Amino acid sequence: MEFAQLIHYTEEDYYNSPEDVRAELIDGQFYDMASPSRMHQEILGFLFLGISSYIRSKKGDCRVYPAPFAVKLFEDDNKTIVEPDISVICDPKKLTDRGCTGAPDWIIEIVSPSTASHDYIRKLKLYADAGVKEYWIVDPDKKSVYVYHLEEDKFEVTTFTFQDKIKANIYEDLWIAFTELPT
């Protein structure tokens, strides 16, 4: 009896995929990404604008990128490339023409019903292993924000709601007031 062979894709396959296909490559497997909802895009725009305005006002060196933006978390791993909803990178040496190589300082994922376990489980472990300093999971359905802050080698989590003002741990004075989120 023969067993089906699992195909392992690489960075080359990722960059050669059709431009209209949205997928992430994790451990050699492609994971399709659903088209974002209007609320997803509202939250993405709200966060991107707030974070980029803050960085610009402080004349900071960090850069913020919305999806689609390729992040190769591990330099020597050609089988994992993710596209976080928002990536904040403070080390310019990590930026390439294709995106980012190395762990961003801060990643935000906005959960869609079809990707929830992907964001809550698979990516949480992946981002912790890569050394992402801060990871936010924004859940529009639950109106919750889970803030994971890397302490030594593991994430500590704090849960907030859309009624809260949330401090970004990688900055001393950046607060995001979810009460100002357009609905």
Side-chain angles (χ1 to χ4, degrees):
M1 175 178 187
E2 282 190 44
F3 292 98
Q5 295 296 316
L6 187 61
I7 297 172
H8 287 279
Y9 296 97
T10 66
E11 180 178 359
E12 183 178 343
D13 298 311
Y14 173 85
Y15 285 114
N16 288 327
S17 62
E19 284 189 29
D20 62 335
V21 173
R22 289 202 59 222
E24 293 180 306
L25 179 66
I26 299 176
D27 295 328
Q29 298 303 302
F30 277 110
Y31 294 89
D32 291 331
M33 299 173 70
S35 293
S37 68
R38 182 192 61 79
M39 181 50 84
H40 179 284
Q41 294 303 89
E42 289 280 352
I43 295 168
L44 178 72
F46 170 76
L47 291 170
F48 176 78
L49 181 60
I51 296 165
S52 58
S53 295
Y54 171 84
I55 292 170
R56 198 169 27 259
S57 75
K58 297 291 186 176
K59 297 179 178 26
D61 293 329
C62 298
R63 298 288 177 257
V64 57
Y65 298 95
F69 181 74
V71 175
K72 182 178 176 182
L73 291 165
F74 306 96
E75 191 171 340
D76 59 347
D77 178 5
N78 73 341
K79 293 183 178 167
T80 300
I81 298 175
V82 293
E83 292 186 12
D85 288 312
I86 295 179
S87 301
V88 178
I89 298 109
C90 299
D91 181 352
K93 291 180 277 189
K94 291 182 179 181
L95 296 173
T96 69
D97 288 340
R98 288 189 155 170
C100 175
T101 298
D105 295 85
W106 183 12
I107 288 177
I108 300 173
E109 296 284 6
I110 302 160
V111 174
S112 300
S114 64
T115 65
S117 66
H118 193 63
D119 293 331
Y120 282 109
I121 300 168
R122 184 175 287 117
K123 284 185 168 179
L124 176 65
K125 179 177 179 352
L126 193 61
Y127 294 159
D129 291 347
V132 172
K133 294 176 187 171
E134 189 162 353
Y135 174 39
W136 288 21
I137 300 175
V138 179
D139 192 323
D141 289 342
K142 295 179 181 176
K143 296 191 181 329
S144 298
V145 180
Y146 302 90
V147 175
Y148 294 87
H149 182 68
L150 195 62
E151 292 292 335
E152 295 183 26
D153 61 345
K154 66 179 181 152
F155 277 132
E156 298 291 329
V157 65
T158 307
T159 305
F160 298 93
T161 72
F162 282 15
Q163 298 303 310
D164 294 317
K165 191 173 181 181
I166 305 170
K167 184 184 180 306
N169 291 297
I170 68 166
Y171 295 109
E172 289 183 26
D173 59 350
L174 173 59
W175 293 81
I176 307 285
F178 274 80
T179 53
E180 297 174 10
L181 179 68
T183 53

